[in-house]
Amino acid sequence: MSILTDEISRRRTFAIISHPDAGKTTLTEKLLLFGGAIHVAGAVKSNKIKKTATSDWMEIEKQRGISVATSVMGFNYGDYKINILDTPGHQDFAEDTYRTLTAVDSVIIVVDVAKGVEQQTRKLMEVCRMRNTPVIIFVNKLDREGRDPFEILDELEAELKIGVRPLSWPINIGAKFKGVYNIFEHSLDLFTPNKQRVSERVEIDNVDDPRIDEAVGEADAAKLREDLELIEGVYPEFDPAEYLEGKLAPVFFGSALNTFGVKELLDCFVQIAPAPKPVKAEERIINPEEEPFTGFVFKIHANMDPNHRSCIAFVKVCSGKFERNANYKHVRSGKFMRFASPTAFMAQKKSIVDEAYPGDIVGIPDTGNFKIGDTLTSGESLHFKGLPSFSPEMFKYIENTDPMKSKQLEKGIQQLMDEGVAQLFVNQFNGRKLIGTVGQLQFEVIQYRLLHEYGAQCRWEPISLYKACWIESDDAAALEAFKKRKHQFMAVDRDGRDVFLADSGYVLQMAQTDFPKIRFHFSSEY
Ligand code: G4P
């Protein structure tokens, strides 16, 4: 095997997603502990955007500043190189999370056993489904009272619209929780409720081994056998190919806080999770093993220092080897650039890196050259697909309040939009600029940053809108007729594409019924 092939096959780049509080931070931390990347529990907490009240966004921004280093966490585990891409917990930054999901090869979803599937998990799963991202589910907090595991499995299947297959099975739950039977490896791990100690493993031959009865008692052993029989009857054998196609999610049970079931998850994960896959560009499919380097920017992190408007662009390497100081083409501008101090993220530290391989994330210091979705290559003109914008859910008109600073305001808005902070639309009827976000926080962030980084002042004017959706049609006359009828509600996005601003769900539904030749899209990628 060539070095490149070898490096690719040992890489696992993934994200952990969950509804806030299900245990994403705790699980991340435990995975880092196993990888030797950190040595004490509590080290990842600094990155946590806590359930702070939305008004406390200054605090959130501060935490975002800290989070550059923890945005990507790379570590070695056995022969594998693991890259965990962090996603913001706060739902107002959901758009950031969506984009991060375009840069991963698989996902681990954390679900709280008492709460089951929650709203944000459902949303994030939709994004995974769009891209057929392979998903493993970790049902967490088994040390607490929760729901029946069979019920949880049914809910996962129904709510996340994906087939499930338990690969481990809990023996009781809450105060009576005794451990899990590992179906993947046929072993038994007993639960020790102690954050410092890893679980105790009982050597067994198979599920009928009497040592199980000794370890957990006859009644629980009998229940376990019954459950396992039911599982074997209901769920087909685990098929890794189905998992890789994004059709089937293996399910593990455990307690992240107690480091229980985490190693089992990790060991199975490295075996079955995919290495970097071919990536679709508009022009062709790029195989990671191709020699020439290609990569794309999926995230831009603004530095919180207002005096130096510097950012870090996060580039996912898609093919070939990335080298420091090599000459790479920035496809959108057509310019060649050299990067003297690209950084890699290992063990929570940022350090200059000389080379990186597909699956790795490289941080490139930037002073405004990059936009989300930009492609870098060794010379070929490629445009990567798959960095969708989603229909925003909140809208406000942005108004300049300092006429002397209109240039600064323009520039600020443009750069913040390049960073992907929010989406800009221009209403075609009144020419006014409309900012769309997924959460109230973004408006505050934008206003603050425009003032502190660009010296521009703005004010928000409310507008009541339900959704902005992209429209298209094969029938030019039908499209024109629609735009004419809805002229007060038509806008264009930054790429000049037509966007319909529906002021209520009812209006949108009526438009869909009345104009069957128009296609309405709720994500910019269609
Ligand atoms: P998140 O990133 O998904 O938002 O969740 P996080 O890991 O921060 O976990 C949320 C809360 O759930 C934390 O408690 C954490 O300690 C707890 N937790 C995580 N895993 C388990 C588990 O397996 N069992 C139990 N019982 N609790 C778990 P907190 O009180 O909000 O935070 P902290 O003060 O403990 O840090």
Side-chain angles (χ1 to χ4, degrees):
M1 261 203 291
S2 75
I3 293 180
L4 184 57
T5 316
D6 207 26
E7 290 293 341
I8 294 169
S9 63
R10 74 187 195 92
R11 273 175 173 67
R12 300 285 181 273
T13 302
F14 74 106
I16 303 179
I17 55 178
S18 74
H19 192 85
D21 263 358
K24 178 170 76 78
T25 313
T26 313
L27 181 64
T28 306
E29 187 171 280
K30 295 305 160 86
L31 292 175
L32 292 176
L33 275 169
F34 278 117
I38 55 168
H39 302 286
V40 285
V44 186
K45 280 286 176 199
S46 59
N47 182 31
K48 192 162 177 207
I49 296 175
K50 267 279 177 194
K51 318 133 247 199
T52 16
T54 43
S55 60
D56 199 8
W57 66 271
M58 275 291 289
E59 188 52 31
I60 290 177
E61 282 297 283
K62 230 192 285 160
Q63 294 187 26
R64 257 160 62 91
I66 301 166
S67 74
V68 175
T70 49
S71 286
V72 181
M73 291 160 277
F75 62 91
N76 287 308
Y77 182 68
D79 293 336
Y80 297 95
K81 162 82 193 288
I82 294 179
N83 294 311
I84 306 181
L85 273 53
D86 190 39
T87 55
H90 200 293
Q91 64 170 9
D92 284 10
F93 294 104
E95 193 80 17
D96 253 18
T97 303
Y98 299 154
R99 280 192 294 261
T100 298
L101 292 182
T102 64
V104 301
D105 299 299
S106 70
V107 152
I108 292 179
I109 295 181
V110 186
V111 172
D112 182 326
V113 70
K115 296 191 177 141
V117 175
E118 294 171 271
Q119 180 221 354
Q120 214 168 320
T121 322
R122 218 174 284 129
K123 264 193 168 170
L124 293 168
M125 182 65 210
E126 269 169 42
V127 182
C128 294
R129 203 173 315 107
M130 270 169 61
R131 312 174 53 82
N132 302 321
T133 310
V135 161
I136 294 181
I137 300 172
F138 183 71
V139 180
N140 191 27
K141 306 196 187 180
L142 267 285
D143 59 315
R144 282 219 199 134
E145 297 309 321
R147 311 236 304 267
D148 176 67
F150 279 111
E151 201 186 302
I152 288 278
L153 288 179
D154 287 348
E155 182 173 311
L156 290 170
E157 202 155 51
E159 296 271 341
L160 300 181
K161 302 189 185 75
I162 187 166
V164 292
R165 180 31 157 130
L167 288 188
S168 78
W169 195 251
I171 301 167
N172 287 330
I173 186 166
K176 288 197 232 133
F177 180 52
K178 290 193 178 157
V180 295
Y181 183 83
N182 188 331
I183 304 174
F184 189 61
E185 288 176 351
H186 290 287
S187 58
L188 178 69
D189 286 302
L190 292 185
F191 175 62
T192 328
N194 180 339
K195 286 169 213 174
Q196 309 307 322
R197 262 177 61 193
V198 181
S199 54
E200 181 191 335
R201 174 156 291 200
V202 179
E203 288 307 323
I204 52 167
D205 295 329
N206 55 43
V207 68
D208 295 319
D209 200 313
R211 278 174 286 190
I212 299 180
D213 301 64
E214 277 167 38
V216 302
E218 268 176 37
D220 284 333
K223 173 81 168 58
L224 173 68
R225 290 188 186 107
E226 209 176 283
D227 285 354
L228 291 176
E229 205 172 308
L230 192 59
I231 290 168
E232 297 310 321
V234 173
Y235 299 98
E237 226 10 52
F238 171 62
D239 177 0
E242 271 193 276
Y243 156 70
L244 291 175
E245 287 166 20
K247 291 185 182 143
L248 182 77
V251 181
F252 287 84
F253 293 84
S255 166
L257 187 64
N258 293 290
T259 326
F260 190 81
V262 176
K263 187 164 189 299
E264 289 73 11
L265 172 75
L266 183 59
D267 286 338
C268 175
F269 168 80
V270 291
Q271 277 185 55
I272 66 172
K277 290 180 283 197
V279 186
K280 267 191 210 152
E282 271 166 34
E283 293 78 2
R284 62 186 186 86
I285 290 176
I286 288 91
N287 198 315
E289 275 147 44
E290 291 178 24
E291 287 283 320
F293 158 77
T294 62
F296 69 87
V297 178
F298 67 94
K299 174 178 176 133
I300 294 178
H301 207 302
N303 197 321
M304 288 299 114
D305 180 355
N307 300 320
H308 305 91
R309 213 177 288 149
S310 67
C311 306
I312 291 184
F314 288 76
V315 176
K316 159 103 187 254
V317 180
C318 295
S319 73
K321 182 161 93 171
F322 171 91
E323 286 174 290
R324 184 158 83 95
N325 278 325
N327 233 344
Y328 292 126
K329 183 175 182 175
H330 177 240
V331 175
R332 186 167 51 84
S333 66
K335 283 188 208 146
F336 276 82
M337 301 175 175
R338 240 176 236 282
F339 306 108
S341 46
T343 50
F345 306 86
M346 275 298 276
Q348 287 199 295
K349 280 200 206 77
K350 214 160 59 107
S351 53
I352 303 259
V353 66
D354 288 319
E355 54 186 46
Y357 292 94
D360 286 341
I361 311 298
V362 186
I364 295 180
D366 173 40
T367 47
N369 288 316
F370 290 112
K371 232 168 133 164
I372 286 202
D374 278 358
T375 306
L376 288 173
T377 71
S378 295
E380 194 176 346
S381 278
L382 290 172
H383 300 83
F384 283 107
K385 290 165 63 162
L387 281 156
S389 299
F390 291 86
S391 300
E393 286 159 22
M394 291 182 141
F395 304 85
K396 282 183 184 172
Y397 281 123
I398 182 163
E399 294 296 336
N400 187 4
T401 49
D402 183 353
M404 303 296 287
K405 297 280 173 64
S406 60
K407 265 214 180 103
Q408 283 84 336
L409 184 72
E410 278 303 309
K411 183 160 186 221
I413 294 178
Q414 190 193 331
Q415 291 198 351
L416 293 183
M417 298 305 127
D418 285 351
E419 260 180 49
V421 175
Q423 293 179 60
L424 175 72
F425 304 100
V426 179
N427 188 322
Q428 294 305 89
F429 178 64
N430 55 21
R432 292 173 78 182
K433 286 195 176 70
L434 196 61
I435 303 279
T437 70
V438 290
Q440 175 61 29
L441 260 179
Q442 260 84 348
F443 294 112
E444 294 169 33
V445 171
I446 291 168
Q447 196 167 28
Y448 179 89
R449 290 190 52 192
L450 283 173
L451 182 63
H452 288 84
E453 294 172 35
Y454 301 88
Q457 293 193 41
C458 74
R459 135 179 96 74
W460 300 110
E461 226 175 82
I463 170 172
S464 158
L465 281 182
Y466 168 69
K467 243 185 174 55
C469 47
W470 288 265
I471 57 160
E472 60 160 1
S473 175
D474 299 329
D475 184 334
L479 191 63
E480 271 321 298
F482 180 86
K483 284 162 69 172
K484 210 163 164 192
R485 169 92 81 86
K486 301 281 183 193
H487 70 287
Q488 290 189 29
F489 300 97
M490 289 307 302
V492 290
D493 72 3
R494 295 187 70 213
D495 301 320
R497 294 189 300 177
D498 290 322
V499 173
F500 170 51
L501 308 170
D503 52 4
S504 73
Y506 177 73
V507 164
L508 179 59
Q509 213 180 352
M510 288 307 287
Q512 284 171 314
T513 319
D514 293 348
F515 295 88
K517 287 188 176 156
I518 307 285
R519 288 188 293 275
F520 297 80
H521 300 282
F522 300 96
S523 121
S524 65
E525 194 181 87
Y526 52 81

